[in-house]
Amino acid sequence: MIVLTSESGGYAPGWYALRIRLRGDARFRTPTLMPMDQGRPRLSECIGLEGTITQDGRALDAVVMLRRMATSCTIVDGAFSNDSLDGSVVFNRLGKGAAAFAMLRAILAKSGLSGWRRAALAVARGDMRGFGDWLYDHYRRGGISAGATYRKWLDRYDDLPVMLAGDVRERADAPTISILMPAYNTRADHLRLCIESVLAQQYPHWELCAVDDASTDARLSETLRSYASRDPRIRCNRRERNGHIAAATNTAFEMASGQIVALLDHDDALHPDALSELASAFIARPEWGMIFTDEDKIDDRGIRYDAYFKGDFDPDLLCAQNCVSHLSAIRREVFESLGGLRSACDGSQDWDFALRASERLGIAGMGHIPRVLYHWRAWRGSTAADGDTKPYAREAALRAISEHLQRTGQNAEAVALAEQPGNYRVIYRLPASPPRISVLIPTRDQPALLERCVRSVDATRGALVCEYVIADNGSVHPNTRALLAELAVRDDVRVFRDDRPFNYSALNNQLAAQARGEVLLFLNDDIEAISSGWLEELVAQAMRNDVGAVGAKLYYPDGRIQHAGVFLGVEGIAANAYRGLPGEASGHMNRARLTQGLSAVTAACLAMRVDVFREIGGFDERLPVAHNDVDLCLRIRSAGYRVVWTPYAELLHHESASRGAKARPEDQARIDADECLMRERWSVWIDRDPAYNPNLETASPHAGLAFPPRRVRADAAH
């Protein structure tokens, strides 16, 4: 570990050049730069440096950006000590031009001119901020993270544990885990690989309950009996009649004696640490009745790919895709109380079970281990390789979701997304008497934007009744005053003047105080509605009892994504998810196209019930400039409500038009103060966003791989 300290007492936000050389046999492995705040590591802001290592591993040269003040910085690797250093470590401040030149030179040296289309378009538009975002992102991906494929990620981090209660193998309360494995005409090589993955478990307290579901291939039962003769923990049985996967799994449960049951398909494989992680988590979190893990796919060559790094349990996303799936483990009493798996949902029986379990356990009872512990085998003809292989599974999934909505009393309908096989949309219906909506718009000398905003809402709001409440924050332009006077004569528009210095939170609180509607729609004046149905979607979601706020999908005028929700801890405090990607981008495992719960959404277009707004006390006026919407959403979450983002409310955000010129020094000072307050108040959320997997990067909002994962950074901090 190397500690970097500055004679001036710290490192200001900005660009830096880092140069380290090692001597002797010392080699870099996975160096990480960790900003420190009075000795406390800021884990969400760590910067992986492995892509800057020279081929011989003895040196690194990096350009890094500190997003806020750090009292010191630490270089963590574990492969070297101070005695390994060849001379001093160089950590010097760079100007923007020098940093840009250094990054461009590194990119050209490593990846040539590939991937420059986005940069060229940004320059052609005069969007230098967009070019800057591309440059740093491409440097970290194509330069600093050159060759950072999933396989290389696995080489470095596959064995890094989570172990919520530590290693529990020797504890007296270590649970026995019964693995339920139904099998039917399984390929012999796949069956053996599956069973061998169980035998390779580091955790010894397991039993494999394998059931041959009346296979026509007699070799399957022979294989099972052969393994059972080798290890007494393997128990097998054969059904006389084929009952399909749910019935066969339930038969396996009848053989089980463990306190925990885990579900394993007959041709898949477990990570060697899978059961150790499950046992540790069940001991650490007694409130969890069901646990799921991250997963990936594995082909016939043994190559792993297509990892799904999941967020913590989200009931909305579970109605859109099976985000629980593999590996799933359940306490015995929960499995029994739910009657096991249902044959009516064969093909999606695990999805149906997760929905029913969530109804019984609630969000707090559904646990998640953020580590890939299950390998879903992909072979020609398998569902893993081709989601269209089993159309009956899609029908079963739709049935499971629809019945879940009925059981939970939701006024909603589930529909399959034909263009997104295996994914679904839940359409919530408006009440018989739809609520009145108060559209709240702060503005200042942007008459063209304001007029377009209001008229676009008028044209697309359908039959919903709206009122517009507009706060004029010190406009002086005659055109603005003329437009406001024109709007004020309408019966559904009210305008009030507020000449105080700009405070976004205070303006919106004033607007909400003037509102007469049941639903508040906070809307920036640079928003443009572009299609019908968006307002109905936002309002129907906002009217759900357990939902406190709803956000929309926003696009830049050129069609790129501006906002698909907010990821905490990314680019500092928070960043708009998938910002800058093409509008049709699917995001990680299609999450940019599915309704889901998130920790926060932007207030540029945010709907919520007025009673929720009053309950939490509105926006915090101590956050006048930045992150006031994130703070609002986190207080909503803390009050027991959920925050939902929907891709089915699509609007344009002319952000660059209203953002204006570069922030003045005094504005930047206010932004910095806002960030400090956010860090003090919400550091736990910022360092570990439950909706954003710690194996995903924080350098950009595109959900690429984290080098290293944040649990590694936490270990390194100690």
Side-chain angles (χ1 to χ4, degrees), residues 392-532:
Y392 70 88
R394 298 199 303 273
E395 297 171 4
L398 183 61
R399 186 182 314 115
I401 298 166
S402 299
E403 292 178 1
H404 164 73
L405 295 173
Q406 294 173 5
R407 289 192 301 268
T408 55
Q410 303 295 316
N411 184 20
E413 174 190 7
V415 296
L417 299 174
E419 72 283 6
Q420 302 172 45
N423 295 274
Y424 300 82
R425 176 188 177 185
V426 174
I427 302 173
Y428 287 88
R429 303 182 183 92
L430 289 166
S433 298
R436 185 180 189 182
I437 299 103
S438 295
V439 183
L440 311 179
I441 309 174
T443 191
R444 179 177 182 176
D445 278 332
Q446 296 286 354
L449 291 178
L450 177 62
E451 182 175 25
R452 178 168 54 195
C453 176
V454 172
R455 300 205 186 287
S456 70
V457 175
D458 278 341
T460 58
R461 70 187 190 187
L464 291 174
V465 176
C466 295
E467 65 162 359
Y468 298 90
V469 188
I470 301 171
D472 176 15
N473 186 216
S475 295
V476 296
H477 198 286
N479 290 348
T480 305
R481 295 190 175 186
L483 174 63
L484 291 172
E486 176 186 333
L487 290 172
V489 301
R490 292 175 41 169
D491 292 338
D492 59 350
V493 176
R494 285 179 290 131
V495 178
F496 69 87
R497 180 92 176 180
D498 189 330
D499 289 333
R500 293 177 294 174
F502 175 75
N503 182 317
Y504 184 84
S505 297
L507 285 172
N508 277 305
N509 285 342
Q510 277 280 78
L511 286 164
Q514 304 280 339
R516 299 168 182 165
E518 298 169 63
V519 172
L520 307 177
L521 177 64
F522 296 98
L523 207 62
N524 281 12
D525 62 1
D526 55 358
I527 293 290
E528 178 184 2
I530 54 176
S531 61
S532 61

Side-chain angles (χ1 to χ4, degrees), residues 353-395:
F353 185 87
L355 288 165
R356 291 186 292 123
S358 69
E359 296 165 20
R360 176 68 57 87
L361 298 169
I363 294 175
M366 301 287 287
H368 170 226
I369 300 173
R371 185 180 175 191
V372 175
L373 298 173
Y374 192 98
H375 316 309
W376 195 11
R377 192 165 306 278
W379 50 279
R380 191 171 185 179
S382 70
T383 306
D386 182 1
D388 289 332
T389 300
K390 299 177 180 177
Y392 70 88
R394 298 199 303 273
E395 297 171 4

Side-chain angles (χ1 to χ4, degrees), residues 627-654:
H627 307 304
N628 32 56
D629 44 9
V630 175
D631 175 78
L632 179 82
C633 288
L634 291 179
R635 285 188 287 116
I636 288 170
R637 292 288 307 267
S638 298
Y641 299 100
R642 296 189 305 107
V643 174
V644 170
W645 174 79
T646 172
Y648 307 110
E650 300 176 289
L651 304 96
L652 290 184
H653 190 182
H654 299 269

Side-chain angles (χ1 to χ4, degrees), residues 213 239 243-252 341-343 346:
D213 191 22
R239 290 174 56 89
H244 302 295
I245 190 167
T249 301
N250 291 340
T251 298
L341 304 186
R342 293 200 307 154
S343 294
D346 266 328

Side-chain angles (χ1 to χ4, degrees), residues 311-334:
D312 290 349
F313 180 72
D314 172 16
D316 279 290
L317 190 58
L318 185 58
C319 287
Q321 64 175 208
N322 190 356
C323 58
V324 170
S325 193
H326 308 301
L327 170 65
S328 295
I330 310 100
R331 294 191 190 273
R332 180 184 188 89
E333 61 270 20
V334 174

Side-chain angles (χ1 to χ4, degrees), residues 110 116 122 214 226 273 533:
K110 292 194 175 185
W116 284 78
S226 173
D273 290 343

